[in-house]
Amino acid sequence: MKDIRIALLDMNNNHVNQGFRNIKEISEAFRQSSEENVAIRTFDVRFKNEIPEIGGFDIFISSGGPGDPHREGLEWENRFAHFLDSVFEHNKNNEDKKYLFLICHSFQLASIHWKLGNINKRKSYSFGVMPVHKTKEGRDEFLFKNLPDPFYAVDSRAYQFIEPDHTQLERLGMEIVAIEKFRPHINLERAIMAVRFSEEIFGTQFHPEASPEALIENLKDEKNKEAMIENFGMEKYLETMDRIDDDDKIILTRNEILPRFLQFAKQHIIKKSESLA
């Protein structure tokens, strides 16, 4: 029986982060529920300049994190860009695929690296539970299969991916599968919330790993609370707090997207391993 090897890429640059803890919890739940031997290893990308060798792992989950996603001339940035290209090229040229999930900051880094559109700073920091709308392609996205349209997700970002380059996306075979809520009274471009980069690579601008407990913990930070009230209003903030543990909102998103990604990856890894045996 083939072992499943998971690399978790911590992009938090030594900042305490609820999201990475949630990613580890979901990965650990997957390990415990699998019949196969699942090994999980963590890499501190930005603070310790640790990048996994793609040959040593089957599945990669790269987290969100603070700061500007544009290049600042740091060594880890070149290594992470090489990592992205290595996974993408490996999958084009090999039968044994590598599976990669990119969250928030990692999603922005990849979108900049592959020149998919404009990644700019928001006018104000966005934090809260927001509706995410599926695109036409997103309605066929298997990771969203059991989610309503719109579904709800935790948003936490100072930057955003807008004004996609559709020619570049098409050239690379990538599809936008989710966008932020349409607000006709606000004259701003809608942000891209999820991209299917390839059959094996997926990314979200939102946090599919978020739990109600983590959101409550984050709201203890006055900056997050103020950002949520500024973006959505006090009434919406109170409503969100009231609905925070509703089964059909962020709990559903947490239970669906990353677990489905891990199961999909495992099934294909096992299937390929058996066909090569």
Side-chain angles (χ1 to χ4, degrees):
M1 188 178 288
K2 177 171 171 58
D3 292 351
I4 306 293
R5 301 158 301 172
I6 302 175
L8 304 182
L9 282 67
D10 182 351
M11 304 295 280
N12 288 288
N13 201 19
N14 210 33
H15 288 75
V16 176
N17 185 267
Q18 298 295 325
F20 196 68
R21 190 190 73 189
N22 289 155
I23 291 167
K24 289 195 284 188
E25 287 171 356
I26 291 169
S27 302
E28 180 60 25
F30 170 75
R31 186 186 72 78
Q32 291 185 10
S33 67
S34 294
E35 293 178 9
E36 299 76 17
N37 181 39
V38 176
I40 302 169
R41 186 174 163 193
T42 296
F43 293 82
D44 189 337
V45 177
R46 295 169 69 184
F47 191 68
K48 295 183 180 175
N49 196 23
E50 297 174 344
I51 297 273
E53 288 292 331
I54 70 163
F57 297 90
D58 308 294
I59 302 171
F60 306 87
I61 302 175
S62 192
S63 79
D68 188 338
H70 294 90
R71 292 283 194 112
E72 297 176 326
L74 302 171
E75 186 186 347
W76 73 262
E77 293 170 331
N78 289 329
R79 297 188 68 200
F80 186 74
H82 177 70
F83 164 77
L84 291 173
D85 285 337
S86 296
V87 174
F88 195 74
E89 291 303 316
H90 173 93
N91 288 338
K92 285 207 305 196
N93 300 311
N94 294 275
E95 289 189 25
D96 64 313
K97 308 300 184 185
K98 305 291 181 179
Y99 296 84
L100 170 61
F101 200 106
L102 300 153
I103 297 171
C104 199
H105 193 81
S106 297
F107 170 80
Q108 293 167 353
L109 290 167
S111 299
I112 291 168
H113 177 67
W114 284 316
K115 300 179 172 64
L116 303 184
N118 180 14
I119 288 77
N120 69 358
K121 191 165 188 178
R122 285 176 48 87
K123 288 184 175 179
S124 62
Y125 181 70
S126 175
F127 187 87
V129 177
M130 67 178 288
V132 178
H133 292 257
K134 301 177 188 180
T135 62
K136 179 171 166 287
E137 293 76 16
R139 292 184 203 117
D140 297 324
E141 171 54 55
F142 80 94
L143 294 181
F144 297 165
K145 183 180 177 185
N146 295 330
L147 297 176
D149 188 15
F151 59 92
Y152 287 82
V154 170
D155 191 38
S156 174
R157 60 196 162 97
Y159 288 79
Q160 61 183 354
F161 171 10
I162 58 170
E163 298 167 352
D165 183 336
H166 294 286
T167 303
Q168 176 73 343
L169 282 154
E170 192 173 333
R171 186 179 75 79
L172 294 173
M174 300 176 177
E175 291 183 334
I176 296 166
V177 292
I179 53 178
E180 73 178 337
K181 181 181 180 181
F182 178 54
R183 292 179 289 175
H185 59 289
I186 298 177
N187 187 27
L188 291 173
E189 187 87 17
R190 292 165 88 180
I192 306 305
M193 297 306 286
V195 171
R196 168 60 67 183
F197 294 102
S198 72
E199 190 172 341
E200 303 83 16
I201 304 173
F202 193 84
T204 62
Q205 174 70 87
F206 58 86
H207 287 269
E209 78 281 14
S211 66
E213 296 79 17
L215 182 60
I216 289 167
E217 193 63 33
N218 278 320
L219 284 169
K220 290 178 183 175
D221 183 331
E222 204 60 32
K223 182 191 79 167
N224 290 334
K225 182 177 178 180
E226 286 172 8
M228 193 167 171
I229 292 168
E230 183 183 338
N231 282 302
F232 302 107
M234 179 57 82
E235 186 179 346
K236 193 68 178 174
Y237 167 76
L238 294 171
E239 180 186 279
T240 298
M241 297 309 292
D242 183 53
R243 296 179 175 178
I244 206 164
D245 55 358
D246 287 1
D247 289 341
D248 63 344
K249 293 187 174 63
I250 63 172
I251 290 175
L252 178 63
T253 300
R254 174 185 164 95
N255 289 342
E256 284 292 322
I257 296 179
L258 267 176
R260 285 178 76 84
F261 171 80
L262 287 166
Q263 288 296 336
F264 171 83
K266 181 178 84 167
Q267 288 166 10
H268 283 74
I269 291 161
I270 298 300
K271 190 175 178 182
K272 180 52 62 180
S273 165
E274 290 172 348
S275 71
L276 295 173

